[in-house]
Amino acid sequence: MVGMFERGDGDLGIANLFISDLGGRNQHQQYTAPFGQEIMCFMIKKGTSTPRWQSLALPFGRDVWIAVMLMALLLGPIFFALSRPRVTRDEKLSRQSMAFIYLYTFGVHLKVAQTQLPVSLSLQIFVAFLWVYVIIVLEAYSAKLVSFLTVERIPEDINTIEELYHASIPIYGNTRWYYDSFALAKNEYIKKLTERYSILREFEDSYKHLMTGQAAYIASANNLMYTISLYAKNGNPTLRLLKECFQPYNTALGVQSHSPLKRNMDQAVNWVREAGLPYQWRRETLMIVRQEKRTTTNDSTDDPESEGEKRVSFSLEHLEGVFIMYGVGCGLSLFVFTCELPFTRVP
């Protein structure tokens, strides 16, 4: 397009042109008034879903689970130590074994009503704060559990440009302009990406590499959002954007240098921009693509009008983690039972 302006073969270039002098572009053409803003982003393959059986552990992060486990281990000895000095007939808990105390605190964690309540003031204070702790922890876990059981979770391994660089995967684009942008960047990781950048004019060629999970593609953010919608399967995206982008630009149309059309085009572009039409057209384009995908695949799961009417029934896939945990418990109890048999005496 820039070459056509230089040769006088074109009068107006309608494209998402970045306003930049990179590569001496502004020596061969001029820009109209900007109609929007763009930013360059990277696109990679969307990861596979986290197995459903892991959903039970997802409501809490690793640090929270470690804290909960430590609390569960410490509660037994603390409870036992507080009950020992007050061995009385009224304080039944003081005469119980450590194993009973652990089962008692475990039952509290499951919000099971306990028939044996503490009598001494110190144990009453301890158990009262234990109840408050358990209620808050369990309510937080329960509130998050439903969403993790029903919503598909995709782990995101690459999100920043630094992580992309360390992944050592090739970067593809459809023009040398991105290579020049890498070379002029101040970010050392972006600059080093020039070593792995390759030009593929047809996106289908890049898509084949992307779907192997061992490549990334660079373009403007809106271009990539359109591409993600276009290549979705059954309403589910197969590609995703990295969270970190770089180098924002104003976007405009292109005209010849010293073109008499520029003045009128600037006025027209300003009217379009002030009316918010570029944003509206972009939104409508994405909706059209999604609608066409639903029509061709007979899929209506992402229809915004029916979003509020959708209901999720728990299937075995959603609750497989519970059955696995129960099976592990049954297997462990059976193993302990077989170990206890040689030491069991029949009266």
Side-chain angles (χ1 to χ4, degrees), residues 165-230:
Y165 169 75
H166 289 301
S168 300
I169 59 178
I171 313 296
Y172 295 104
N174 61 0
T175 174
R176 182 181 170 82
W177 194 86
Y178 296 118
Y179 178 92
D180 296 334
S181 299
F182 291 159
L184 295 176
K186 294 182 179 180
N187 186 311
E188 60 175 324
Y189 296 110
I190 297 176
K191 186 173 294 188
K192 291 178 180 178
L193 290 180
T194 55
E195 304 168 2
R196 304 207 299 268
Y197 181 73
S198 300
I199 299 175
L200 293 178
R201 299 296 182 185
E202 299 296 331
F203 179 75
E204 287 295 337
D205 297 330
S206 299
Y207 183 71
K208 295 175 183 178
H209 295 287
L210 287 171
M211 293 312 294
T212 64
Q214 297 299 314
Y217 187 84
I218 182 171
S220 65
N222 285 309
N223 186 318
L224 295 180
M225 289 173 61
Y226 172 82
T227 303
I228 290 173
S229 297
L230 189 63

Side-chain angles (χ1 to χ4, degrees), residues 272 275-288:
V272 169
L277 292 178
Y279 170 79
Q280 178 65 19
W281 290 335
R282 193 159 54 237
R283 183 172 175 272
E284 289 178 353
T285 301
L286 291 176
M287 292 178 65
I288 291 171

Side-chain angles (χ1 to χ4, degrees), residues 283-297:
R283 183 172 175 272
E284 289 178 353
T285 301
L286 291 176
M287 292 178 65
I288 291 171
V289 172
R290 291 167 183 164
Q291 183 63 42
E292 289 178 350
K293 295 293 287 187
R294 287 198 300 269
T295 302
T296 55
T297 59

